Amino acid sequence: MIYWYKLSFHTPVRIGERGIGVSSVSYAIHSTTLHSAIINALIYLGKIDPIKNKSEAIEIARSFKTSSPSPIIGDGANLFWIRGLDILIKSSLKDVGSIEKYYEITKALRRVRLAQDKFIEEDLTCCKPSILRENDREVIEIKCGNNEYRVIPAYLVNHFVEVIVEKELVYNDKIMIAEQKIRAKNIMDRITQAAHPYHLALIKYHTPLLLGIEITDKSQITYTDIESALRLLGDIGIGGKRTYGFGGFDISKTEVTKNEIETSHYAIQGLFSPAMPVVRQVYEKSIYSVKTHGSKSGFTGITRKPILVLEEGSIIECKNNCRGLVVTDDESFSKIIRSFDPIKLGLRINSIEALPDER
């Protein structure tokens, strides 16, 4: 069972790395970042003692999963991560009428990163997209049975992505989810009096975020422990530059209408790296976007193993337990634990094996 929480950030968030002159910033608070933060908070709370039992933290890390928080828009409309709709719905595009319409619909679907929870419940391979002109602009609509959805732009950190929501929920042309803020900083060398100016990139969220937590081994940890860790993180902040007051949030439980679907297809709600027994199955029969996560971290130069991960929203086919990797990086006095086994949401998809040339 997945428990859902609403995170309302009241300060900007710093998720990224120091660069030369200006830092980079992530478009999301990735699941592995939150997972590591929860482990650290559990150590602060005395729930884990890594000195007495070094393997305990790793065992607990394997016992629960998190998601990369996704936006909540309008009146409680929850969005989830999803990609690859241009491939899944391509078989329904043969009747759109013209090459130009086919191109515009495919281009819009390729940019989709988020979709409303109700759309995630649909049989995606049976949804039919169309394009129409409204108020001197072209609008992409998707009909799934008796339900109609629209593809609308949303501003996410420093670029626009497409979001799918119910037709009646479209209350404006654009949704502002999060934007990047830049703050000038200066480091002074007290010995040489040299100045080292740089620019700090931050994320400013304009909507609450939806976080999912799933405990897979209740003998290791409870939801009470997780909620205690989240409350602590809300007070001390998450991400970098917390001494400046960044990363603080309020937390509350929330209800999500998400039916459990018996399926072999899932939308990954965080950074996912399949464990060795299922690597071939996942990469052969899935629709995904891949990036490398890790290497040197920030200004400290701490080396972390580079891990090849599937990004949020990638769709995987998995007929067994497709667990992800839990990676540990050893430092001088501690271990850094990173989980690449996030929450997975079931999708109603008949098969994606018929589209091997499109991946």
Side-chain angles (χ1 to χ4, degrees), residues 26 28 56 105 117 273 288:
S26 171
E56 182 185 22
I105 293 173
D117 46 3
S273 183
Y288 52 81

Side-chain angles (χ1 to χ4, degrees), residues 14-203:
R14 165 83 184 115
I15 304 290
E17 296 183 356
R18 268 288 295 274
I20 300 176
V22 63
S23 61
S24 63
V25 71
S26 171
Y27 66 87
I29 303 173
H30 296 298
S31 56
T32 184
T33 299
L34 260 170
H35 189 278
S36 297
I38 291 173
I39 290 291
N40 203 38
L42 290 171
I43 293 174
Y44 285 153
L45 291 169
K47 304 293 184 181
I48 302 173
D49 190 342
I51 297 177
K52 289 184 178 180
N53 188 350
K54 293 183 179 180
S55 64
E56 182 185 22
I58 298 174
E59 293 172 359
I60 290 178
R62 296 183 187 277
S63 70
F64 74 97
K65 303 179 181 183
T66 68
S67 67
S68 296
S70 52
I72 303 173
I73 63 171
D75 297 326
N78 303 310
L79 300 182
F80 291 114
W81 301 101
I82 193 166
R83 295 172 183 256
L85 291 180
D86 58 311
I87 296 174
L88 288 178
I89 303 180
K90 189 160 285 189
S91 60
S92 302
L93 289 172
K94 55 188 177 182
D95 300 324
V96 295
S98 68
I99 294 295
E100 290 79 7
K101 288 183 178 180
Y102 175 91
Y103 171 74
E104 290 300 324
I105 293 173
T106 303
K107 184 173 67 173
L109 294 179
R110 193 176 294 125
R111 293 195 302 264
V112 169
R113 293 293 179 269
L114 295 157
Q116 189 183 349
D117 46 3
K118 188 175 180 180
F119 180 79
I120 298 291
E121 292 286 330
E122 303 282 359
D123 183 347
L124 301 182
T125 54
C126 297
C127 293
K128 298 185 180 299
S130 60
I131 186 169
L132 55 94
R133 194 159 191 84
E134 185 178 274
N135 298 328
D136 296 326
R137 66 186 182 93
E138 292 182 336
V139 178
I140 308 294
E141 288 195 350
I142 302 176
K143 189 170 184 179
C144 304
N146 296 323
N147 300 320
E148 292 184 341
Y149 303 89
R150 283 198 174 184
V151 180
I152 59 176
Y155 192 75
L156 181 58
V157 180
N158 55 9
H159 63 291
F160 278 98
V161 299
E162 303 293 347
V163 175
I164 297 179
V165 296
E166 290 178 274
K167 186 175 180 179
E168 57 267 26
L169 286 181
V170 180
Y171 50 88
N172 55 28
D173 292 340
K174 296 183 180 68
I175 298 172
M176 178 72 78
I177 295 174
E179 61 178 324
Q180 178 178 296
K181 296 287 188 179
I182 302 292
R183 294 193 183 182
K185 296 292 178 182
N186 194 8
I187 298 176
M188 296 296 296
D189 189 320
R190 295 185 180 183
I191 298 175
T192 64
Q193 305 302 314
H196 301 281
Y198 68 98
H199 294 83
L200 186 67
L202 306 164
I203 309 173

Side-chain angles (χ1 to χ4, degrees), residues 11 30 90 177 226 332 351:
T11 62
H30 296 298
K90 189 160 285 189
I177 295 174
I226 294 291
S332 301
S351 176

